[in-house]
Amino acid sequence: MNIHEYQAKELLRGFGVAVLDGHVAWTPEEAAAAAAKLPGPVYVVKSQIHAGGRGAGRFADDPGGKGGVRLARSAEEVRAAAEAMLGHVLVTKQTGAAGRRVHRVYVEAGCDIARELYLSLLIDRATSRVTVMASTEGGMEIEEVAAHSPEKILRVAIDPAAGIAPFHARRLAYGLGLAGKQVAAFGRFVDAMYRAFIALDCSIVEINPLVVTGGGEVVALDAKVSFDDNALFRHPELEKLHDEAEEDPKELEAAKHSLNYVALDGTIGCMVNGAGLAMATMDIIKLYGGSPANFLDVGGGATKERVTAAFKIILSDPHVEGILVNIFGGIMRCDVIAEGVVAAAREVSLNVPLVVRLEGTNVELGKQIMAQSGLPIIAADNLADAAQKVVAAVKEAA
């Protein structure tokens, strides 16, 4: 689960992470009032969406204008900046061409920036440890740094039994070229950030940029926090931070039915049981010249109702021009899948090619259910056959 920058900073502040003062606003008038609560004379107005690159982004209705992060030097300038952002669609590298509509802004105090650094905590699956990453290239996307200057990325893995220690922060501080009281400030910052990461069951905490002020303080100028969805049951207080307006409606609907769904930008909808098989299905669609419209894993114990819901979600995507159902029935019975597919196809008046490949438990019964349904379902013998047939059917229907 992702949250907004202002929410992330409020959480981190509670653990002692140094952040600047700021206030969230939903209207231009609230933004001006927020500025009045800050010392000034410089303010920063930030669009709040679940995507990075806001400063370099552009608004869809003003592509040649300013981005989603703007400086202001008076309450009136703050109000004008908020008015230019609120209700408008911000397009960044991470949003894609569709962009995200800005519903709220964060008005923050200005800062005397001497240096910009990068700092994050994440789970390194190669070492099965929480890893601290730091770089002197603050403000840049870490992927770009990794691609062009990997030597500028510092890493320290934390032993889960011992936890973080002062020497971890010192090693990073010296690697970043910090000196004097900056080292101590950085140590306090990293310690607080680690405690927040562990206590909140985060999957990532990213500060980009982390700034060193003219006075030698270390402060989070931006903050991104994502939580491990599997641990949210331990944190009911975090549920109120969930902003459904930032989520894909199809993904929200899938979550209600305990379906693992991720929208993609292709034209062939996929319904598969098992994450590995789903990935293989998407790969083979690409191999035969198609493009998957989604990742959808119905799980091993799906019911007829869940399969029907999955089918409806796939068809709710206007870009879907064909559907491939690929089920290997172990725990999941093929007849249950067949009943769900038939019920959903009838309910939504199926108007795109549908290819179904079933194998495993009750496969003959499943095939019989589909054959007797009277629906134009294309049967496939194996995965390669299924992929070839759905790609061909989509091209023929185009």
Side-chain angles (χ1 to χ4, degrees):
M1 186 182 90
N2 297 319
I3 58 176
H4 290 292
E5 173 196 355
Y6 76 93
Q7 296 168 325
K9 286 183 173 177
E10 192 60 33
L11 286 174
L12 294 174
R13 187 198 299 271
F15 288 87
V17 174
V19 299
L20 299 169
D21 290 333
H23 305 279
V24 66
W26 280 264
T27 67
E29 292 69 30
E30 288 182 4
K37 300 175 186 176
L38 299 172
V42 177
Y43 314 91
V44 185
V45 185
K46 300 181 176 183
S47 299
Q48 296 297 287
I49 60 172
H50 289 179
R54 292 168 294 161
R58 291 294 180 266
F59 286 92
D61 54 359
D62 186 21
K66 298 178 181 178
V69 177
R70 304 185 186 184
L71 288 176
R73 288 176 171 79
S74 69
E76 180 55 32
E77 287 188 10
V78 168
R79 191 202 67 77
E83 187 172 28
M85 297 179 187
L86 290 166
H88 297 270
V89 175
L90 179 61
V91 180
T92 77
K93 282 199 221 177
Q94 294 187 13
T95 65
R100 296 276 179 85
R101 192 169 300 277
V102 178
H103 297 288
R104 63 192 91 177
V105 296
Y106 188 47
V107 182
E108 191 172 58
C111 181
D112 175 19
I113 302 173
R115 289 186 66 195
E116 293 189 2
L117 307 172
Y118 173 92
L119 182 67
S120 68
L121 276 164
L122 49 83
I123 304 296
D124 184 347
R125 304 201 182 279
T127 61
S128 299
R129 294 186 175 187
V130 175
T131 295
V132 188
M133 290 178 55
S135 175
T136 55
E137 305 304 295
M140 288 184 61
E141 293 182 9
I142 196 64
E143 293 83 2
E144 291 186 17
V145 180
H148 301 106
S149 306
E151 73 282 357
K152 293 183 178 180
I153 298 178
L154 309 174
R155 294 178 176 85
V156 171
I158 309 300
D159 188 304
I164 199 163
F167 77 87
H168 291 125
R170 287 197 298 270
R171 182 186 302 172
L172 293 170
Y174 296 142
L176 294 171
L178 300 179
K181 68 178 186 179
Q182 296 173 357
V183 176
F186 182 81
R188 292 190 297 270
F189 192 101
V190 172
D191 180 71
M193 190 169 157
Y194 179 82
R195 286 188 286 106
F197 186 95
I198 298 299
L200 297 174
D201 286 306
C202 297
S203 57
I204 185 171
V205 176
E206 183 180 63
I207 310 298
N208 188 24
L210 172 72
V211 301
V212 181
T213 69
E217 294 300 314
V218 177
V219 182
L221 202 64
D222 194 4
K224 173 185 176 180
V225 172
S226 295
F227 304 104
D228 181 351
D229 291 351
N230 296 311
L232 284 177
F233 72 94
R234 290 200 290 249
H235 304 281
E237 75 283 1
L238 298 178
E239 285 296 326
K240 63 183 180 181
L241 304 180
H242 187 208
D243 184 2
E244 291 192 352
E246 292 290 318
E247 304 287 339
D248 186 307
K250 298 185 293 297
E251 294 181 10
L252 286 173
E253 183 64 22
K256 294 177 183 177
H257 298 280
S258 300
L259 296 167
N260 296 311
Y261 175 93
V262 179
L264 302 173
D265 57 4
T267 59
I268 297 177
C270 306
M271 184 168 72
V272 192
N273 65 323
L277 186 58
M279 296 295 288
T281 301
M282 293 191 295
D283 285 346
I284 202 166
I285 287 173
K286 291 287 287 186
L287 178 66
Y288 287 108
S291 181
N294 63 270
F295 168 99
L296 197 158
D297 172 15
V298 296
T303 61
K304 173 184 173 182
E305 290 71 26
R306 190 186 296 179
V307 171
T308 303
F311 207 87
K312 289 180 181 178
I313 291 167
I314 292 173
L315 286 173
S316 69
D317 183 346
H319 298 106
V320 168
E321 298 175 2
I323 300 175
L324 172 56
V325 177
N326 181 28
I327 299 296
F328 184 83
I331 299 174
M332 167 60 71
R333 290 163 32 202
C334 292
D335 58 313
V336 172
I337 290 290
E339 289 174 354
V341 168
V342 169
R346 284 175 174 160
E347 189 170 337
V348 301
S349 300
L350 181 68
N351 59 359
V352 298
L354 170 61
V355 177
V356 180
R357 178 256 183 169
L358 299 177
E359 195 60 66
T361 306
N362 290 356
V363 62
E364 294 305 324
L365 179 56
K367 290 180 178 179
Q368 181 181 344
I369 291 170
M370 290 190 296
Q372 294 175 350
S373 69
L375 295 171
I377 298 173
I378 303 171
D381 297 325
N382 53 56
L383 181 50
D385 182 43
Q388 288 176 306
K389 284 180 175 177
V390 73
V391 171
V394 167
K395 289 181 178 178
E396 184 178 339

Short mmCIF file of all heavy atoms in Angstrom, two decimals, residues 13 20-24 31-45 78 106-110:
data_model
loop_
_atom_site.label_atom_id
_atom_site.label_comp_id
_atom_site.label_asym_id
_atom_site.label_seq_id
_atom_site.Cartn_x
_atom_site.Cartn_y
_atom_site.Cartn_z
N ARG A 13 7.93 11.51 11.14
CA ARG A 13 8.18 12.48 12.20
C ARG A 13 7.95 11.86 13.58
O ARG A 13 8.66 12.15 14.54
CB ARG A 13 7.26 13.69 12.02
CG ARG A 13 7.55 14.84 12.98
CD ARG A 13 6.36 15.78 13.06
NE ARG A 13 6.02 16.39 11.79
CZ ARG A 13 6.53 17.53 11.35
NH1 ARG A 13 7.40 18.19 12.10
NH2 ARG A 13 6.16 18.02 10.19
N LEU A 20 10.44 18.85 7.36
CA LEU A 20 10.06 20.25 7.41
C LEU A 20 8.60 20.39 7.80
O LEU A 20 7.80 19.48 7.60
CB LEU A 20 10.30 20.90 6.05
CG LEU A 20 11.75 20.89 5.55
CD1 LEU A 20 11.80 21.31 4.09
CD2 LEU A 20 12.63 21.79 6.40
N ASP A 21 8.23 21.54 8.34
CA ASP A 21 6.84 21.79 8.68
C ASP A 21 6.03 22.01 7.41
O ASP A 21 6.50 22.60 6.43
CB ASP A 21 6.72 23.04 9.56
CG ASP A 21 7.29 22.81 10.96
OD1 ASP A 21 7.29 21.64 11.40
OD2 ASP A 21 7.72 23.78 11.59
N GLY A 22 4.80 21.53 7.43
CA GLY A 22 3.93 21.71 6.28
C GLY A 22 2.50 21.35 6.62
O GLY A 22 2.21 20.77 7.67
N HIS A 23 1.58 21.69 5.70
CA HIS A 23 0.15 21.43 5.90
C HIS A 23 -0.47 21.03 4.58
O HIS A 23 -0.13 21.56 3.52
CB HIS A 23 -0.56 22.67 6.45
CG HIS A 23 0.06 23.22 7.70
ND1 HIS A 23 -0.19 22.69 8.95
CD2 HIS A 23 0.95 24.23 7.88
CE1 HIS A 23 0.51 23.36 9.86
NE2 HIS A 23 1.20 24.31 9.23
N VAL A 24 -1.42 20.09 4.63
CA VAL A 24 -2.11 19.64 3.44
C VAL A 24 -3.30 20.57 3.18
O VAL A 24 -3.88 21.13 4.11
CB VAL A 24 -2.58 18.18 3.60
CG1 VAL A 24 -3.64 18.04 4.68
CG2 VAL A 24 -3.10 17.62 2.27
N ALA A 31 -4.77 26.35 1.01
CA ALA A 31 -3.33 26.43 0.76
C ALA A 31 -2.77 27.76 1.23
O ALA A 31 -1.70 27.82 1.87
CB ALA A 31 -3.05 26.23 -0.74
N ALA A 32 -3.49 28.85 0.95
CA ALA A 32 -3.05 30.17 1.40
C ALA A 32 -3.05 30.24 2.92
O ALA A 32 -2.13 30.81 3.54
CB ALA A 32 -3.96 31.25 0.82
N ALA A 33 -4.06 29.65 3.55
CA ALA A 33 -4.12 29.63 5.01
C ALA A 33 -2.99 28.80 5.59
O ALA A 33 -2.44 29.13 6.65
CB ALA A 33 -5.48 29.08 5.46
N ALA A 34 -2.62 27.72 4.89
CA ALA A 34 -1.50 26.88 5.35
C ALA A 34 -0.20 27.67 5.32
O ALA A 34 0.63 27.56 6.23
CB ALA A 34 -1.38 25.64 4.47
N ALA A 35 -0.01 28.48 4.27
CA ALA A 35 1.20 29.28 4.17
C ALA A 35 1.30 30.27 5.32
O ALA A 35 2.40 30.56 5.83
CB ALA A 35 1.22 30.03 2.83
N ALA A 36 0.16 30.78 5.76
CA ALA A 36 0.15 31.75 6.86
C ALA A 36 0.63 31.14 8.17
O ALA A 36 1.07 31.86 9.08
CB ALA A 36 -1.26 32.33 7.03
N LYS A 37 0.56 29.83 8.27
CA LYS A 37 1.01 29.14 9.49
C LYS A 37 2.51 28.86 9.48
O LYS A 37 3.06 28.41 10.48
CB LYS A 37 0.25 27.82 9.65
CG LYS A 37 -1.27 27.97 9.75
CD LYS A 37 -1.92 26.59 9.78
CE LYS A 37 -3.44 26.70 9.73
NZ LYS A 37 -4.09 25.35 9.67
N LEU A 38 3.14 29.07 8.34
CA LEU A 38 4.57 28.76 8.19
C LEU A 38 5.38 30.05 8.26
O LEU A 38 4.88 31.14 7.95
CB LEU A 38 4.81 28.04 6.87
CG LEU A 38 4.07 26.70 6.70
CD1 LEU A 38 4.24 26.17 5.27
CD2 LEU A 38 4.56 25.67 7.71
N PRO A 39 6.66 29.95 8.64
CA PRO A 39 7.46 31.15 8.85
C PRO A 39 7.79 31.93 7.58
O PRO A 39 8.00 33.15 7.64
CB PRO A 39 8.74 30.61 9.51
CG PRO A 39 8.82 29.19 9.08
CD PRO A 39 7.40 28.72 9.01
N GLY A 40 7.84 31.27 6.43
CA GLY A 40 8.22 31.97 5.20
C GLY A 40 9.69 32.38 5.24
O GLY A 40 10.45 31.94 6.11
N PRO A 41 10.17 33.22 4.33
CA PRO A 41 9.41 33.85 3.24
C PRO A 41 9.26 32.97 2.00
O PRO A 41 8.62 33.36 1.04
CB PRO A 41 10.25 35.08 2.91
CG PRO A 41 11.65 34.63 3.17
CD PRO A 41 11.57 33.70 4.35
N VAL A 42 9.85 31.76 2.04
CA VAL A 42 9.77 30.86 0.88
C VAL A 42 8.91 29.66 1.25
O VAL A 42 9.03 29.09 2.35
CB VAL A 42 11.17 30.39 0.44
CG1 VAL A 42 11.06 29.40 -0.72
CG2 VAL A 42 12.03 31.58 0.04
N TYR A 43 8.04 29.27 0.32
CA TYR A 43 7.16 28.11 0.52
C TYR A 43 7.30 27.20 -0.70
O TYR A 43 7.69 27.63 -1.78
CB TYR A 43 5.70 28.55 0.66
CG TYR A 43 5.49 29.70 1.60
CD1 TYR A 43 5.51 31.02 1.13
CD2 TYR A 43 5.28 29.49 2.96
CE1 TYR A 43 5.33 32.09 1.99
CE2 TYR A 43 5.09 30.56 3.83
CZ TYR A 43 5.12 31.86 3.34
OH TYR A 43 4.95 32.92 4.20
N VAL A 44 6.93 25.95 -0.51
CA VAL A 44 6.91 25.00 -1.62
C VAL A 44 5.52 24.38 -1.68
O VAL A 44 5.01 23.89 -0.66
CB VAL A 44 7.97 23.89 -1.45
CG1 VAL A 44 7.98 22.99 -2.69
CG2 VAL A 44 9.35 24.49 -1.23
N VAL A 45 4.90 24.41 -2.85
CA VAL A 45 3.57 23.82 -3.05
C VAL A 45 3.76 22.54 -3.88
O VAL A 45 4.29 22.59 -4.99
CB VAL A 45 2.63 24.79 -3.78
CG1 VAL A 45 1.22 24.19 -3.86
CG2 VAL A 45 2.60 26.13 -3.06
N VAL A 78 1.21 31.14 -3.23
CA VAL A 78 0.85 29.77 -2.82
C VAL A 78 -0.56 29.45 -3.30
O VAL A 78 -0.83 28.38 -3.85
CB VAL A 78 0.94 29.62 -1.29
CG1 VAL A 78 0.28 28.30 -0.85
CG2 VAL A 78 2.39 29.64 -0.84
N TYR A 106 0.39 19.85 -0.84
CA TYR A 106 1.10 19.97 0.43
C TYR A 106 1.89 21.26 0.40
O TYR A 106 2.71 21.46 -0.51
CB TYR A 106 2.01 18.77 0.62
CG TYR A 106 2.67 18.68 1.98
CD1 TYR A 106 1.94 18.85 3.16
CD2 TYR A 106 4.04 18.39 2.09
CE1 TYR A 106 2.54 18.75 4.39
CE2 TYR A 106 4.65 18.28 3.33
CZ TYR A 106 3.89 18.45 4.48
OH TYR A 106 4.49 18.34 5.70
N VAL A 107 1.62 22.15 1.34
CA VAL A 107 2.33 23.42 1.42
C VAL A 107 3.38 23.29 2.52
O VAL A 107 3.05 23.06 3.69
CB VAL A 107 1.36 24.58 1.74
CG1 VAL A 107 2.12 25.91 1.77
CG2 VAL A 107 0.24 24.62 0.71
N GLU A 108 4.64 23.43 2.13
CA GLU A 108 5.75 23.14 3.04
C GLU A 108 6.67 24.34 3.16
O GLU A 108 6.78 25.16 2.23
CB GLU A 108 6.52 21.94 2.51
CG GLU A 108 7.54 21.36 3.48
CD GLU A 108 8.12 20.06 2.94
OE1 GLU A 108 8.70 20.07 1.83
OE2 GLU A 108 7.99 19.03 3.61
N ALA A 109 7.32 24.44 4.30
CA ALA A 109 8.28 25.53 4.50
C ALA A 109 9.47 25.37 3.57
O ALA A 109 9.86 24.25 3.22
CB ALA A 109 8.75 25.53 5.96
N GLY A 110 10.05 26.50 3.16
CA GLY A 110 11.25 26.46 2.34
C GLY A 110 12.45 25.97 3.14
O GLY A 110 12.39 25.86 4.37
#
